[in-house]
Amino acid sequence: MISSIKHATAKLSLLSLLTILTFTSHAQPTELPGPVRVVVDGHQFPSDAYALLVQEIGSDTPLLSVNAELPLNPASTIKTLTTLAALDILGPTYTWRTELYALGAISDGTLNGDLLLRGGGDPFLVEEHFRSMLKTLQRRGVQHISGDLLIDASLYDPSVSQEESLDAQSNRAYNVLPHAAITNFQAVTFYFYPAANGRDVRVEADPPLPGLNIDNRLRLQAGACTGFQRGISFSEDRSNQTVIFSGSFPSRCDEYAMTRAVMDAPTYTYELFRQLWAELGGTLAGNYRLSELPSTESPPAAEPLVVWQSPPLGDIVTSINKYSNNMMTRQLLLTLGLHHSAPPGTVDKGIAAINDYLDKLQIDRSTLSIANGSGLSRDTRLSARLLADLMLHAWQQPIMPEFIASLPLAGLDGTMRDRLSDESATGRIHVKTGSLNGVAGVTGYVLGASGKRYVVAALVNHPGADRGTGQELGDALLRWAGQQ
């Protein structure tokens, strides 16, 4: 190579010679950079177990491209597709509506009839917002309800709430399924404390749902505050709304918290309503029933007594991407489906909306297979090239600030809080992470040492990738991009 360059010198200008020397001093785009090669070789990743892509914004040519067109499981990095499509299609100020209807006359603070709650698919109707909605109801003149609470969840097809969980752990918060009238992520956080008698364990629930029974079989055992779930075994009997705790709890644990999804969505919403309504001094004479009124029909009361608006989509997307919330993402996919097609919302309608979105952008989706939009699936596939194309597209859009701000900041927050936290890369990298058994990935933006900004995508599908090896490869690529 050197001899050929010397031979050509006589015929080439100085500028041409410098061009050749510059080209030969850089690795080809498909060659792994040294620090990345060390990780690949060290963990003996097969050549088809990973896909890597780094491309400067504004350039048509990748700086690095390895297996970029290979379809791999992306885990939660696919949330960037669902959230970006939502911001592009719905806009960052989009909100969800939850409506309360008085099905009867209101007299002297009493609703003589039923209260209808019509779910609008709000993915962030948490306890604080639900309480504020009920306070609004009281300001509208309702303190006592003589009938039942009717829950209308017809906006979504029932099938969206009937899937099997990925890992047979349906009580885990990350496995909560979509529902048009879901509240507070369907979750309860249980707190455990050593009892004063030195033998028992005290359990407190937040929120303290009135219909939730706690069967506490825990015993205190001398020891340090260590071990999986601190020795606590959790099970649930939904036939009588009972959670069961058994095992031995270490005596030196001052406090331990465990969050679990309990009950089904409408039952949880009813129990949360009962708790908050009682706290506010309200009474409910009846129980709850599911409304059979189709979402396309108006209830007997022509106008809702209360309309509760969710936080704007820009805020929702931040909650999704920073903390990788699966349920919220799945609700978002269903919302896209409803915007694309008539109710009821289904997963297939949401997928059709995503496909049409990519087609309009002329982004190749031949590697794409969507299961639910959140990445919590063994069947989802896409390529690093598709992820990078999404990032490049987002950079040029009006919603760019909202989208980038939703991505975790390396070393500072979200799922990247503890990654690259002691390096110069801290705060210079916005990336969405992904992790699933045997899967790890990152995609987003890196501000390089040169001041140039790069799009990065890395996917790893290999046994143990989620237990550190895949993250190590992703971090090595992010560091290398940050040095450019």
Side-chain angles (χ1 to χ4, degrees):
M1 174 66 75
I2 297 297
S3 62
S4 64
I5 293 176
K6 288 180 178 179
H7 178 72
T9 306
K11 297 182 179 180
L12 292 173
S13 67
L14 178 60
L15 178 61
S16 299
L17 178 58
L18 289 174
T19 301
I20 294 175
L21 289 172
T22 301
F23 178 78
T24 56
S25 66
H26 284 76
Q28 296 296 313
T30 57
E31 294 178 2
L32 291 175
V36 178
R37 169 62 68 186
V38 168
V39 178
V40 169
D41 292 346
H43 294 300
Q44 299 182 332
F45 287 136
S47 59
D48 61 351
Y50 57 90
L52 310 173
L53 194 147
V54 177
Q55 185 167 331
E56 180 189 346
I57 292 177
S59 172
D60 295 330
T61 305
L63 189 63
L64 174 70
S65 179
V66 180
N67 295 330
E69 307 294 341
L70 180 66
L72 293 172
N73 191 320
S76 286
T77 62
I78 197 177
K79 288 182 172 74
T80 56
L81 170 55
T82 310
T83 54
L84 177 59
L87 285 171
D88 253 353
I89 295 170
L90 304 174
T93 62
Y94 177 89
T95 58
W96 288 259
R97 290 164 54 105
T98 302
E99 300 172 343
L100 297 178
Y101 292 84
L103 305 186
I106 301 171
S107 177
D108 297 327
T110 297
L111 167 57
N112 295 291
D114 300 325
L115 179 72
L116 172 66
L117 185 155
R118 170 164 276 185
D122 184 348
F124 200 67
L125 189 53
V126 293
E127 179 182 347
E128 298 89 334
H129 295 174
F130 202 8
R131 180 183 288 105
S132 295
M133 181 175 68
L134 297 185
K135 289 173 70 175
T136 303
L137 177 63
Q138 292 192 342
R139 289 197 300 272
R140 302 287 163 81
V142 177
Q143 186 74 27
H144 309 287
I145 302 168
S146 68
D148 294 333
L149 176 67
L150 269 62
I151 297 178
D152 177 0
S154 59
L155 186 64
Y156 292 166
D157 188 87
S159 63
V160 305
S161 303
Q162 297 169 354
E163 298 178 19
E164 294 293 329
S165 63
L166 184 66
D167 53 7
Q169 298 189 70
S170 59
N171 53 47
R172 296 289 184 140
Y174 59 78
N175 274 326
V176 171
L177 293 170
H179 194 276
I182 198 168
T183 54
N184 210 41
F185 307 117
Q186 208 174 310
V188 172
T189 300
F190 299 95
Y191 294 90
F192 304 87
Y193 307 91
N197 62 15
R199 298 186 307 274
D200 300 324
V201 180
R202 183 165 58 91
V203 183
E204 302 288 344
D206 182 25
L209 303 179
L212 181 63
N213 304 305
I214 298 177
D215 184 353
N216 180 6
R217 305 174 187 177
L218 288 167
R219 288 295 177 264
L220 205 59
Q221 179 175 305
C225 191
T226 59
F228 177 69
Q229 294 186 173
R230 305 304 183 264
I232 301 170
S233 176
F234 173 93
S235 59
E236 187 178 10
D237 184 352
R238 290 200 174 184
S239 66
N240 58 8
Q241 297 179 191
T242 299
V243 294
I244 304 164
F245 298 106
S246 59
S248 299
F249 185 69
S251 60
R252 279 186 270 168
C253 277
D254 294 331
E255 177 183 88
Y256 179 70
M258 173 188 293
T259 300
R260 290 292 181 269
V262 299
M263 305 176 177
D264 56 48
T267 303
Y268 184 104
T269 295
Y270 165 64
E271 294 295 348
L272 186 59
F273 177 92
R274 288 178 63 198
Q275 176 218 330
L276 299 178
W277 193 238
E279 286 181 5
L280 295 171
T283 62
L284 174 68
N287 297 303
Y288 94 91
R289 295 179 285 123
L290 293 177
S291 171
E292 298 180 355
L293 187 69
S295 61
T296 53
E297 295 185 18
S298 298
E303 296 294 332
L305 193 60
V306 175
V307 175
W308 181 260
Q309 302 280 0
S310 74
L313 177 60
D315 292 351
I316 296 295
V317 163
T318 296
S319 296
I320 288 174
N321 284 334
K322 291 285 189 186
Y323 305 102
S324 208
N325 190 292
N326 293 318
M327 183 278 289
M328 294 176 73
T329 314
R330 298 176 76 155
Q331 301 267 118
L332 192 53
L333 182 74
L334 293 169
T335 302
L336 285 169
L338 287 167
H339 188 270
H340 183 266
S341 307
T346 67
V347 174
D348 286 344
K349 290 176 183 178
I351 293 172
I354 293 286
N355 288 339
D356 283 358
Y357 169 71
L358 292 173
D359 289 346
K360 288 176 182 177
L361 297 182
Q362 297 184 328
I363 291 179
D364 180 13
R365 60 178 176 88
S366 59
T367 62
L368 178 65
S369 177
I370 305 176
N372 53 47
S374 75
L376 191 65
S377 164
R378 290 292 170 198
D379 301 322
T380 300
R381 294 290 184 276
L382 54 69
S383 66
R385 179 70 266 172
L386 192 152
L387 286 174
D389 285 344
L390 288 169
M391 298 300 108
L392 292 168
H393 165 75
W395 188 262
Q396 303 297 329
Q397 302 311 301
I399 48 82
M400 178 268 284
E402 287 83 2
F403 179 69
I404 295 180
S406 78
L407 302 176
L409 268 167
L412 294 177
D413 68 10
T415 57
M416 285 294 293
R417 176 183 294 274
D418 298 321
R419 291 175 64 172
L420 306 175
S421 59
D422 58 348
E423 305 177 23
S424 60
T426 297
R428 299 170 66 87
I429 297 174
H430 292 76
V431 288
K432 179 72 191 77
T433 63
S435 181
L436 197 62
N437 188 18
V439 180
V442 290
T443 187
Y445 304 92
V446 175
L447 180 61
S450 63
K452 298 177 180 179
R453 200 173 296 268
Y454 299 90
V455 162
V456 175
L459 299 174
V460 185
N461 287 193
H462 191 258
D466 58 306
R467 296 194 294 273
T469 59
Q471 176 179 315
E472 190 177 344
L473 180 57
D475 286 354
L477 186 67
L478 292 171
R479 287 192 196 95
W480 178 79
Q483 293 165 0
Q484 304 309 301

